Amino acid sequence: MQLETYISDLLYRYDCVTVPEFGAFLTHRVSAKIHESTHTFYPPKKALSFNEQLQQNDGLLANYIAEVEKIPYSTALNKISKQIKSIKSYLVEGETIQLKNIGELVLNADGKIQFDPSSHINYLTDAFGLSHFTSSDITREVYKETVETIEETAPIALTPEKRSNRNWLKYAAAAVVLIGLGGFGAATYYNNTIENHNQLAQEQANEQLDAKVQEATFIISNPLPAATLSLEKQSGNYHIVAGAFRVEANSDKKVKQLREKGFKARKIGANRYGLHEVVYASFETRSEAQRELFKIRREHNRDAWLLIKRLK
């Protein structure tokens, strides 16, 4: 089993991928930047890190392997455990573990795992297809000095002012004033006409509407009672998954069973394998979802797991 392949797949969609009994690979968004000395532009990306303290199984990796390989959840956990034991034994012997598209792992002098992330892949899907590029330096100061040199050497020519008879401007100004007054009067008359027309049309429309309302009042003798719908819309990107079903009818039955037990169950659509996913509930924050997940695992379903997904 190529464990790094499954981890790499999940890093595109999640900010945290926990490997049980080993540690967690974390990502955080880094904005686009410019290297000042080389004039290189780098696109935004997801920076990758490793935390050895986060070893508690959240079900994400095991459920994903179980879906892809079509094996039980417990079998997937056993596979992960065996491969982690093998990796730890190699690390203790002083070897460097290379995880393709993720990075390198090695033990430091204190016996802690040191992680060197790979720079060959960008897990930020928003930046798909973008790569870094280098731009040549812009020599603005050179052009400025050239222009200043031209201004210093260029001769300045003065043209004598020519006076002309401008009496005709007085008559033109008077004509403009008369035309303006006439246009103002015509515009006022036009606006008043339009306003009267609109008011008359509105009154006619109101009379026709009143007649229709009165006619409808006599026709409908037994009005239907008003219907009240109560819809509870859930929101949030953190979902506790109860199961995924190939047949959609089975997912409907699962939702009905969970709602009878008091859960706010619903379907959130099909995943990329065509399975219809059913969740116990959705939450706005990860902490709320984690608390409910631990409760559900303890009291109802130990195979429930947390899905982080933005619904459309």
Side-chain angles (χ1 to χ4, degrees), residues 2 4 87 91 95-106 116:
Q2 298 296 325
E4 65 265 32
I87 291 175
L91 289 174
E95 296 190 18
T96 299
I97 303 299
Q98 293 185 349
L99 301 179
K100 185 179 179 181
N101 295 330
I102 298 176
E104 296 182 351
L105 298 170
V106 66
D116 183 19

Side-chain angles (χ1 to χ4, degrees), residues 103-144:
E104 296 182 351
L105 298 170
V106 66
L107 286 183
N108 58 19
D110 298 329
K112 302 296 182 181
I113 297 178
Q114 183 176 339
F115 176 63
D116 183 19
S118 173
S119 59
H120 300 297
I121 191 167
N122 188 353
Y123 287 105
L124 183 63
T125 55
D126 294 342
F128 179 78
L130 299 180
S131 60
H132 67 275
F133 66 94
T134 303
S135 175
S136 58
D137 191 14
I138 300 176
T139 54
R140 293 188 178 89
E141 293 300 325
V142 174
Y143 299 144
K144 181 179 179 181

Side-chain angles (χ1 to χ4, degrees), residues 107 248 266:
L107 286 183
E248 187 173 8
R266 61 169 178 159

Side-chain angles (χ1 to χ4, degrees), residues 205-223:
N206 290 338
E207 292 176 358
Q208 294 177 1
L209 179 60
D210 291 340
K212 292 292 184 181
V213 171
Q214 293 176 4
E215 181 182 354
T217 302
F218 288 104
I219 293 175
I220 303 176
S221 57
N222 296 320

Side-chain angles (χ1 to χ4, degrees), residues 38 49 86 100 109-110 124 131 171 188 216 218 236 247 252 301 305 311:
T38 61
S49 60
S86 176
K100 185 179 179 181
D110 298 329
L124 183 63
S131 60
Y171 301 102
T188 302
F218 288 104
V247 181
D252 294 331
N301 180 10
W305 58 284
L311 302 180

Side-chain angles (χ1 to χ4, degrees), residues 160-173:
E161 182 182 359
K162 294 182 180 181
R163 297 182 178 272
S164 59
N165 188 4
R166 298 182 178 178
N167 292 331
W168 61 272
L169 291 176
K170 299 179 181 179
Y171 301 102

